[in-house]
């Protein structure tokens, strides 16, 4: 039986390993950093399964592949299906009209409905409600995939994958860039805050012409606040400006966020190809699966299916852009 | 013939910004499809330690003239530092000098602008100042060493078009030999055409293209518009009149038929 070696235990690697293992393949995983943790950028993700919202500024495959994600994740981790609420300050309402024109799958809601959905949002008279969207806790999701794989007998090697592996699948994100000439890093910064006085139950996006931001509830008064998107490959630390923008967004949603505790600051680089869509590339004995950009959880299921189709059945999904086996 | 921008004649009158596109691939396609000859690029935020390298390389690979900018700078010192970094990264003396004076309107701080323009010009930079339509400020910028002026059409990103055509026309008349660029505020191709019809030498825009539903189509539309406006200006258009003037004389017509 063929043994597949998945390299990298972030969301891409774990989803690929899961898909292969569930289809009956024999799989091992290599990651020198060990089980999922803060070393990988998927640890810092928002965990929104929001294909309709993302479609506003992304290519069509994000909408199509993204819709598979909610079902895929629901079978493997806890997914909260509470929708997404999009709001804007009064002066930025043109941005909301623009947002609405560019996507689908929402209902326009007025002051009463906004207040009914999220009583703790202050002063928003209009919104867009994307009822079919969902969210998950990324760290929990990674751990659930990890445990599921261990239960299936998948071996995790806490070391660098040996060179010359047959049937390798490289899911290392930006660490694989020496093999992927057109991969770049896009800096993202986020905060995790605790504000027990504020109760928001679903992801809320605050539109702004320059700095659109979102907040995702993680339960127990903990919120993820994200995320900047900067064409920079410096992941050393957050800038004061980004921190100000993130916190101002939270403050605009409810001034009580001013009393929140800042629990964590996350900075990392999203791996992205020029069109910001993921790719599957087979070069020699290695399949590269990469470029999830800001859509790690949204597109990992489709990426994993594409890899499994290629590895097991030699079927080329549309994510495969090069095959030089 | 187009005016010279510090010794360079632009291939066409469209300058495009490179921020806020859905992806670098769409940015590249917008440039290729429109043929825009100048790309402005911001360094302030992407800056630290040359970390924007991959993105900057993409801009350099567009094979157009690169005009780095100091977007996001609020003080002379910041702007001067950013300009020096830009010169290193893009190996160009050109700098679009932007000094923001007001957070909400992103209105230029013209006092600091003149000072920074003088410092940079003395240091060998070729400065493209983002300014208002004020004639005296324009004069001061020229005295400070600028050979190009870039007045706003409307606040950055507002898409309102030319807020003050009277003043822009006056600026054109006041500085007949200086290359003038309408920078900021353009939302529609008709706005860009209107700027060119006033006799401006180029139009610089970003949001109108980057945030359009189809950035590539909008970039092409903008190019068609600036070319149409330029041809219209150069063709010496007719004066508007209050009454009709038939293109065929009517008097005497009955006698001839």
């Amino acid at each position: 039986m063929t043994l597949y070696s998945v390299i990298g235990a972030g969301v891409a690697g774990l989803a690929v390993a899961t898909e292969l293992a569930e289809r009956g393949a024999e799989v091992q995983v290599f990651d020198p950093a060990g089980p999922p943790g803060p070393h990988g950028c998927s640890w810092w993700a928002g965990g929104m399964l929001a294909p309709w919202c993302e479609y506003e500024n992304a290519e069509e495959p994000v909408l199509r592949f993204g819709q598979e994600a909610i079902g895929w994740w629901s079978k493997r981790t806890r997914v909260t299906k509470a929708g997404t609420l999009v709001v804007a300050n009064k002066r930025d309402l043109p941005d909301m009209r623009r947002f609405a024109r560019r996507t689908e799958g929402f209902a326009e809601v007025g002051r009463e409905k906004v207040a009914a959905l999220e009583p703790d949002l202050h002063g928003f008279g209009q919104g867009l409600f994307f009822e079919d969207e969902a969210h998950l806790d990324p760290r929990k999701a990674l751990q659930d995939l990890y445990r599921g794989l261990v239960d299936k007998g998948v071996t995790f090697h806490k070391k660098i994958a040996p060179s010359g592996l047959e049937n390798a699948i490289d899911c290392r994100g930006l660490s694989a860039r020496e093999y992927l000439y057109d991969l770049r890093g896009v800096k993202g910064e986020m905060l995790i805050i605790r504000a027990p006085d504020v109760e928001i139950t679903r992801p809320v996006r605050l539109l702004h012409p320059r700095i659109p931001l979102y907040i995702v509830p993680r339960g127990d008064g903990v919120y993820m606040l994200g995320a900047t998107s900067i064409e920079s490959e410096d992941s050393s630390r957050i800038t004061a400006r980004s921190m100000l923008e993130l916190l101002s967004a939270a403050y605009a949603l409810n001034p009580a966020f001013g009393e929140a505790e800042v629990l964590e600051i996350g900075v990392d680089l999203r791996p992205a190809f020029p069109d910001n869509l993921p790719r599957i590339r087979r070069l020699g004995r290695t399949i590269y699966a990469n470029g999830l950009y800001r859509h790690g959880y949204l597109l990992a299921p489709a990426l994993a299916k594409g890899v499994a189709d290629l590895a097991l059945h030699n079927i080329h999904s549309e994510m495969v852009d090069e095959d030089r086996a | 013939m187009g005016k010279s921008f510090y010794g360079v004649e632009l291939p066409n009158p469209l300058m495009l910004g490179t921020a806020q596109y859905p992806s670098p691939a769409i940015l590249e396609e917008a440039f290729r499809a429109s043929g825009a000859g100048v790309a402005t690029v911001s360094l302030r935020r992407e800056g630290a330690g040359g970390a924007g390298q991959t993105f900057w390389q993409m801009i350099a690979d567009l094979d157009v003239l690169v005009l780095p900018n100091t977007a996001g700078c609020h003080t002379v010192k910041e702007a001067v530092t950013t300009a020096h970094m830009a010169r290193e990264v893009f190996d160009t003396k050109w700098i679009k000098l932007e000094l923001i004076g007001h957070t909400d309107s992103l209105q230029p701080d013209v006092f600091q602008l003149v000072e920074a323009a003088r410092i940079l010009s003395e240091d060998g930079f070729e400065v493209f100042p983002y300014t208002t339509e004020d004639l005296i400020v324009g004069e001061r910028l020229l005295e400070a060493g600028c050979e190009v002026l870039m007045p706003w059409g409307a606040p950055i990103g507002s898409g309102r078009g030319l807020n003050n055509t009277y003043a822009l026309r006056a600026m054109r008349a006041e500085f007949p030999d200086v290359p003038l660029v309408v920078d900021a505020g353009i939302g529609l191709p008709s706005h860009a055409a209107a700027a060119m019809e006033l006799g401006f030498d180029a139009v610089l825009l970003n949001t109108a293209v980057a945030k359009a539903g189809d950035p590539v189509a909008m970039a092409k539309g903008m190019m068609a518009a600036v070319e149409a406006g330029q041809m219209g200006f150069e063709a010496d258009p007719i004066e508007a009149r209050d009454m009709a003037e038939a293109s065929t004389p009517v008097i005497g017509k009955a006698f001839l038929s």
Side-chain angles (χ1 to χ4, degrees), chain A:
Chain A
M1 192 169 170
T2 310
L3 174 63
Y4 293 93
S5 301
V6 174
I7 309 171
V11 70
L14 294 179
V16 165
T18 300
E19 191 69 25
L20 285 169
E22 288 180 1
R23 294 194 196 181
E26 197 178 334
V27 184
Q28 58 178 348
V29 180
F30 290 88
D31 194 323
H39 49 270
C41 69
S42 35
W43 188 256
W44 301 105
M48 290 183 296
L49 303 175
W52 290 277
C53 278
E54 289 299 319
Y55 182 47
E56 181 262 337
N57 196 31
E59 308 272 335
E60 181 275 339
V62 171
L63 178 62
R64 190 158 31 91
F65 290 130
Q67 288 178 59
E68 303 171 13
I70 297 175
W72 195 91
W73 285 109
S74 297
K75 285 179 213 146
R76 296 162 180 93
T77 189
R78 189 170 149 230
V79 172
T80 308
K81 294 170 189 166
T84 305
L85 184 60
V86 176
V87 294
N89 286 312
K90 206 168 177 184
R91 54 190 263 173
D92 298 326
L93 287 177
D95 291 291
M96 185 166 343
R97 291 195 288 273
R98 180 182 166 281
F99 193 97
R101 275 206 311 279
R102 301 284 159 74
T103 189
E104 50 197 74
F106 61 87
E108 291 185 28
V109 291
R111 188 174 295 276
E112 278 180 22
K113 178 77 173 170
V114 171
L117 287 166
E118 295 295 349
D120 272 3
L121 284 189
H122 276 252
F124 293 97
Q126 292 176 51
L128 306 173
F129 182 43
F130 294 77
E131 194 174 2
D132 296 328
E133 295 191 336
H135 66 283
L136 51 73
D137 179 339
R139 298 175 183 182
K140 179 87 173 42
L142 292 175
Q143 274 152 12
D144 287 341
L145 291 189
Y146 175 73
R147 268 189 226 111
L149 286 164
V150 171
D151 288 348
K152 285 186 188 66
V154 171
T155 317
F156 278 76
H157 304 280
K158 192 179 172 178
K159 59 180 183 191
I160 294 173
S163 54
L165 279 174
E166 297 280 340
N167 303 303
I169 299 158
D170 186 326
C171 302
R172 288 182 296 148
L174 211 54
S175 305
R177 69 184 306 175
E178 63 179 295
Y179 305 100
L180 302 168
Y181 68 96
D182 49 353
L183 194 70
R184 76 187 194 287
V186 180
K187 183 179 185 182
E189 299 151 306
M190 60 83 94
L191 300 174
I192 293 187
I193 59 175
R194 177 160 52 215
D197 298 344
V198 188
E199 195 184 351
I200 288 175
T201 60
R202 55 175 59 73
V204 175
R205 293 181 183 230
L206 178 65
L207 301 183
H208 183 280
R210 293 188 306 281
I211 36 173
L213 294 162
Y214 55 79
I215 190 160
V216 188
R218 291 275 164 86
D220 299 326
V222 175
Y223 297 90
M224 182 271 183
L225 200 52
T228 58
S229 191
I230 302 170
E231 290 289 350
S232 164
E233 296 180 325
D234 171 20
S235 63
S236 50
R237 49 192 72 83
I238 194 170
T239 62
R241 179 201 299 271
S242 295
M243 178 95 91
L244 277 167
E245 287 173 357
L246 290 167
L247 292 173
S248 306
Y251 193 79
L253 293 176
N254 186 330
F257 276 119
E259 307 305 319
E261 297 171 285
V262 178
L263 302 181
E264 289 181 55
I265 299 169
V267 185
D268 217 327
L269 301 179
R270 311 173 178 96
F273 288 104
D275 58 3
N276 294 340
L277 291 173
R279 301 268 196 288
I280 298 167
R281 232 172 245 179
R282 181 155 60 187
L283 306 172
R285 288 178 294 194
T286 305
I287 293 174
Y288 293 87
N290 214 317
L292 286 170
Y293 181 51
R294 52 179 283 158
H295 302 127
Y297 292 81
L298 191 63
L299 298 186
L303 183 80
K305 288 178 199 170
V307 169
D309 286 346
L310 182 65
L312 304 177
H313 311 294
N314 209 31
I315 294 171
H316 292 72
S317 95
E318 67 181 84
M319 282 190 195
V320 179
D321 77 331
E322 204 178 335
D323 190 359
R324 289 189 282 127

